[in-house]
Amino acid sequence: MSALPSQSLSTLTVAIAGNPNAGKTSLFNALTGLRQKIANYPGVTVEATRGVWYLDDGSPVAVVDLPGLYSLNATSIDEQIACDTLVGSGERFEPSISPDVIIVAIDATNLSRNLYLATQVIELGRPTVVALTMFDLALRNGIEINVPSLAEALGVPVVPVVARRLIGIDALASAVKKIAEQTRASVSATRIDDALTIRKHELLDRYQRIDTLLSRVLTQKNSEGLSRTERIDAVLTHRIFGPLILIAVVLFVFQMIFSWANLPMNLIDGGFSSLGRFVRTTLPPGVFTDLLADGVIAGVGGVLVFLPQILLLFLFIAILEESGYMARAAFLMDRLMRSVGLDGKAFLPLVMSFACAVPAVMATRTIQSTKDRITTIMIAPFMSCSARLPVYTLMIASCFANQKTFGFISTGALIILTMYLLGISTAVGVAWLLKHSILKAPSTLFVMELPVYRIPSVSNVFHTMLSRAGLFIKRASTVILAASILLWALAAFPRSTGSSSVTASEQVKNSYAGRAGRLMEPFIAPLGFDWRIGIGLISSFAARETIVSTLSVVYNVGEEDESQRSGSLVRVMTDAKRSDGSPMWTPLVGLSLMVFFVLACQCMSTLAVVRRETNSWRWPLFMVSYMLVLAYVGSLITFQGGRLLGFN
Ligand SMILES: Nc1nc2c(ncn2[C@@H]2O[C@H](COP(=O)(O)OP(=O)(O)OP(=O)(O)O)[C@@H](O)[C@H]2O)c(=O)[nH]1
Ligand SMILES: [Mg+2]
């Protein structure tokens, strides 16, 4: 994000306020050139975000994007952040911002509801400009708005904008500049006195006033766009078809992630293998070459192989979010989750958690009841996030290679769906337990707002996908790189003496890492895991996908056959044997490990954000411990149960 210029007399501060999902962040991105998250459901932005808007003459304006709110009677944390900025009261949550001009974003397709907040903000008497967002949609839906008379009635400038196509931005700039100059010239703003603004001593109901106003400025020719949404929803949120379609969509997404990612993944895998061999053949043999080939290239490469899958996952998530279907998915889950007594607003954060639990934990700021909010935070990590995908994929490739169910659906896609469902159902169970014990609270009634369906904007989808991929690569080149180097050192030292008689695998076994893994082995053997997996489990508590790089390093360093070193991880794992000679990576071991990864909270970033959002160490500690117990028990039941049923 670009840095704010230091606050001077000439630097204006503009805050963008408005109803949830009114298009504030889209406008903010259009003004500042930043890429903050946009999605088609309410409650996406939960903190004040700053950026710089350069006007035509080059002068900078500080812009603040605020969370959405329905009225100035704020109830949840995200609304309070927005409200505090508008009303100018204190700094309860963030450093206080005092805007010179407020831009109220009003969704042109939903004037009556949006005007409720807009009139309240205008009444505050601060310099205000109304941005009439989604003007393209209004035109397409036959909604005609008499903009000059709306401006006259409100007593403030009204500028139609289409943020996606940068339409109306110049007009908005001149309106903001003009009103800021006027305010500077005359200290007290009197411009709202003669307007149709609703004032406290008018005793008419606000809604009545808005209705009167609308009858003067609004003509609705047809409501085709809105009824289209209703027609689609009749199918997609149907009691029976809705859930079936949801499952089909999810299955389709996984199927695509697997089949489309296959080729590029093989290419990347092959690339890193060749690179490893190249390093081995060109550099003189020695510790440095080993570090580079077995540590850095094997470790980082082992994780980067999954980039195509991560890209596809985020592509699909972005399309589902932007079209409005994600809100329907949340609506369908709502029925299920309401039965455990959770707030209706808990579902969107949980859906977000399928991408990553960190923004999901922040998104719980939209939940009013503190107890419901904490319950939601406690169960958010059960939703299978993107970091689990490499782990699942590796297990499926090594333990269930190329199996098909019903001829066309890959067993892999079905198993992954099962893992997602396991996470969801565990979350439901835990939420019920928490809500009926330590976090008991009456459930609040909440009606979820379903946005209209939209054709996803290609550039939004693309940028969401790329920024996510950027984060993944950043993790691979920082956390994973550091972990790989550390792990390589722990696996390669201390050097076993008499090196000619000591095999490579014995070297790893007697290394620091090997000793730690073997120390763990008695505890994890009942889950089907050996000491190598033990090392992976320890490192995965930093970040889940670290287990992939760890296994890659451990197997590479321990590879007996020099010519096979730096080979593909899946191949080495498929060949790996237990000490009794039986195959290590059986389907049952794969399942057991996946179950462990569904249930355990192996993510430092999540724990850090939970600590920040709950303001205590109590909740993150509780979270990591109870999830670890569940993971252990879940894995134990999977492995021992499977063996009792005759699997191996
Ligand atoms: N057609 C059209 N769609 C838009 C326009 N502006 C925003 N959208 C879409 O409206 C949806 C909501 O946009 P956001 O910018 O995330 O809305 P927001 O007000 O920041 O929402 P919250 O942060 O949840 O309060 C997204 O799907 C956008 O792509 C526009 O001018 N035209
Ligand atoms: Mg927003």
Side-chain angles (χ1 to χ4, degrees):
M1 196 177 296
S2 40
L4 270 184
S6 60
Q7 201 83 13
S8 70
L9 256 183
S10 59
T11 311
L12 273 183
T13 301
V14 173
I16 307 178
N19 280 181
N21 211 35
K24 300 177 296 298
T25 305
S26 302
L27 184 59
F28 174 83
N29 286 350
L31 300 181
T32 59
L34 294 176
R35 287 280 169 194
Q36 291 299 311
K37 185 175 163 90
I38 293 171
N40 190 12
Y41 54 77
V44 177
T45 308
V46 290
E47 58 185 339
T49 320
R50 294 147 191 260
V52 185
W53 172 22
Y54 290 100
L55 302 182
D56 272 353
D57 56 9
S59 55
V61 172
V63 194
V64 184
D65 181 25
L66 294 175
L69 73 174
Y70 290 105
S71 76
L72 289 181
N73 312 323
T75 47
S76 53
I77 296 176
D78 62 327
E79 287 181 343
Q80 281 165 23
I81 290 169
C83 201
D84 285 0
T85 306
L86 295 175
V87 180
S89 61
E91 40 185 279
R92 276 183 292 173
F93 304 99
E94 323 232 338
S96 73
I97 302 156
S98 175
D100 302 301
V101 178
I102 298 169
I103 297 180
V104 187
I106 300 189
D107 178 351
T109 63
N110 201 341
L111 271 191
S112 60
R113 196 198 65 205
N114 280 249
L115 279 173
Y116 192 87
L117 173 78
T119 51
Q120 280 191 328
V121 172
I122 293 168
E123 270 173 32
L124 294 172
R126 312 179 92 170
T128 304
V129 174
V130 165
L132 211 47
T133 58
M134 322 251 180
F135 208 67
D136 53 336
L137 281 183
L139 289 180
R140 213 179 309 149
N141 291 328
I143 298 168
E144 273 180 16
I145 299 166
N146 186 336
V147 176
S149 67
L150 180 63
E152 195 198 319
L154 293 174
V156 299
V158 176
V159 184
V161 295
V162 183
R164 278 184 183 185
R165 274 179 269 136
L166 302 182
I167 295 172
I169 304 299
D170 290 346
L172 189 65
S174 38
V176 166
K177 253 201 310 206
K178 199 167 150 201
I179 204 157
E181 277 158 15
Q182 276 174 6
T183 319
R184 272 180 195 166
S186 63
V187 181
S188 65
T190 50
R191 82 220 127 66
I192 52 170
D193 277 354
D194 55 347
L196 225 167
T197 314
I198 299 90
R199 300 178 66 87
K200 296 245 160 51
H201 58 270
E202 292 167 337
L203 278 166
L204 272 177
D205 175 41
R206 189 180 296 272
Y207 280 120
Q208 252 175 349
R209 300 295 307 250
I210 290 171
D211 277 348
T212 323
L213 190 160
L214 283 180
S215 65
R216 281 173 41 194
V217 302
L218 186 73
T219 337
Q220 177 97 33
K221 286 246 180 75
N222 60 54
S223 55
E224 209 184 289
L226 306 175
S227 69
R228 189 187 59 184
T229 288
E230 276 164 22
R231 278 200 306 274
I232 300 176
D233 270 345
V235 182
L236 294 189
T237 61
H238 187 273
R239 280 196 93 82
I240 297 155
F241 300 132
L244 289 180
I245 293 172
L246 178 60
I247 291 179
V249 167
V250 174
L251 202 54
F252 170 80
V253 167
F254 290 137
Q255 182 79 9
M256 289 302 111
I257 288 176
F258 271 93
S259 52
W260 289 356
N262 227 340
L263 181 69
M265 282 175 72
N266 287 338
L267 289 178
I268 299 177
D269 198 14
F272 277 110
S273 297
S274 317
L275 185 64
R277 278 194 295 271
F278 175 76
V279 165
R280 275 211 173 284
T281 47
T282 42
L283 294 185
V287 173
F288 179 72
T289 307
D290 286 352
L291 164 69
L292 211 58
D294 302 337
V296 176
I297 296 175
V300 175
V303 169
L304 277 185
V305 165
F306 296 94
L307 184 61
Q309 284 191 337
I310 300 283
L311 277 173
L312 282 170
L313 177 72
F314 282 107
L315 171 72
F316 284 113
I317 289 184
I319 292 175
L320 294 176
E321 282 187 342
E322 262 290 270
S323 62
Y325 186 72
M326 216 47 132
R328 273 71 189 181
F331 173 78
L332 290 168
M333 305 238 297
D334 177 282
R335 289 194 194 130
L336 170 74
M337 298 296 273
R338 203 184 286 269
S339 61
V340 299
L342 265 183
D343 188 307
K345 281 192 184 173
F347 307 110
L348 278 168
L350 290 180
V351 170
M352 288 170 88
S353 200
F354 286 114
C356 176
V358 174
V361 167
M362 291 190 62
T364 61
R365 289 183 178 188
T366 56
I367 299 169
Q368 291 162 23
S369 140
T370 309
K371 286 181 175 171
D372 279 6
R373 180 164 176 248
I374 291 186
T375 309
T376 312
I377 292 176
M378 287 300 119
I379 61 171
F382 284 122
M383 306 297 138
S384 282
C385 62
S386 59
R388 262 112 155 181
L389 203 57
V391 183
Y392 296 164
T393 310
L394 181 65
M395 289 305 116
I396 283 159
S398 313
C399 310
F400 299 87
N402 293 326
Q403 294 180 20
K404 294 257 188 235
T405 309
F406 310 129
F408 59 97
I409 301 175
S410 68
T411 309
L414 276 183
I415 292 176
I416 291 198
L417 179 66
T418 312
M419 292 304 143
Y420 275 68
L421 292 177
L422 173 68
I424 295 171
S425 43
T426 310
V428 170
V430 170
W432 188 89
L433 276 177
L434 290 176
K435 282 283 297 183
H436 288 81
S437 55
I438 51 174
L439 292 168
K440 204 178 270 180
S443 43
T444 42
L445 190 68
F446 170 74
V447 184
M448 179 156 9
E449 188 198 350
L450 290 182
V452 295
Y453 286 103
R454 287 181 218 285
I455 310 272
S457 124
V458 177
S459 95
N460 273 354
V461 168
F462 206 65
H463 275 97
T464 312
M465 185 173 91
L466 287 187
S467 70
R468 284 306 190 152
L471 283 183
F472 179 75
I473 293 176
K474 196 175 148 208
R475 265 165 88 110
S477 57
T478 52
V479 180
I480 307 282
L481 176 65
S484 302
I485 294 176
L486 181 68
L487 239 126
W488 173 82
L490 292 177
F493 295 97
R495 289 291 197 208
S496 298
T497 43
S499 54
S500 58
S501 61
V502 178
T503 62
S505 62
E506 271 170 31
Q507 157 65 36
V508 179
K509 205 166 175 176
N510 295 320
S511 68
Y512 296 118
R515 286 178 208 171
R518 282 187 295 149
L519 213 61
M520 271 185 80
E521 205 170 47
F523 300 99
I524 56 176
L527 315 182
F529 304 160
D530 69 349
W531 57 273
R532 285 192 181 84
I533 303 182
I535 303 174
L537 286 184
I538 299 174
S539 67
S540 69
F541 274 85
R544 293 181 175 89
E545 65 269 43
T546 315
I547 192 176
V548 177
S549 56
T550 301
L551 288 177
S552 200
V553 172
V554 168
Y555 275 115
N556 248 300
V557 175
E559 177 63 74
E560 303 293 348
D561 186 346
E562 272 287 330
S563 66
Q564 290 295 321
R565 265 182 144 170
S566 315
S568 133
L569 177 58
V570 172
R571 187 194 51 72
V572 191
M573 283 172 61
T574 319
D575 293 345
K577 301 273 186 293
R578 286 185 189 273
S579 48
D580 63 2
S582 63
M584 174 65 223
W585 293 97
T586 63
L588 201 54
V589 171
L591 279 182
S592 174
L593 191 86
M594 281 189 269
V595 168
F596 192 92
F597 272 75
V598 169
L599 300 176
C601 178
Q602 303 146 291
C603 182
M604 290 296 179
S605 322
T606 304
L607 293 174
V609 77
V610 172
R611 150 84 186 83
R612 204 184 69 197
E613 294 290 309
T614 60
N615 223 347
S616 87
W617 277 110
R618 200 161 58 115
W619 289 114
L621 286 177
F622 172 67
M623 182 157 152
V624 77
S625 356
Y626 95 82
M627 289 181 69
L628 185 60
V629 172
L630 272 183
Y632 190 89
V633 173
S635 262
L636 188 71
I637 293 175
T638 310
F639 189 70
Q640 298 300 338
R643 287 228 299 205
L644 281 181
L645 293 175
F647 297 99
N648 56 47

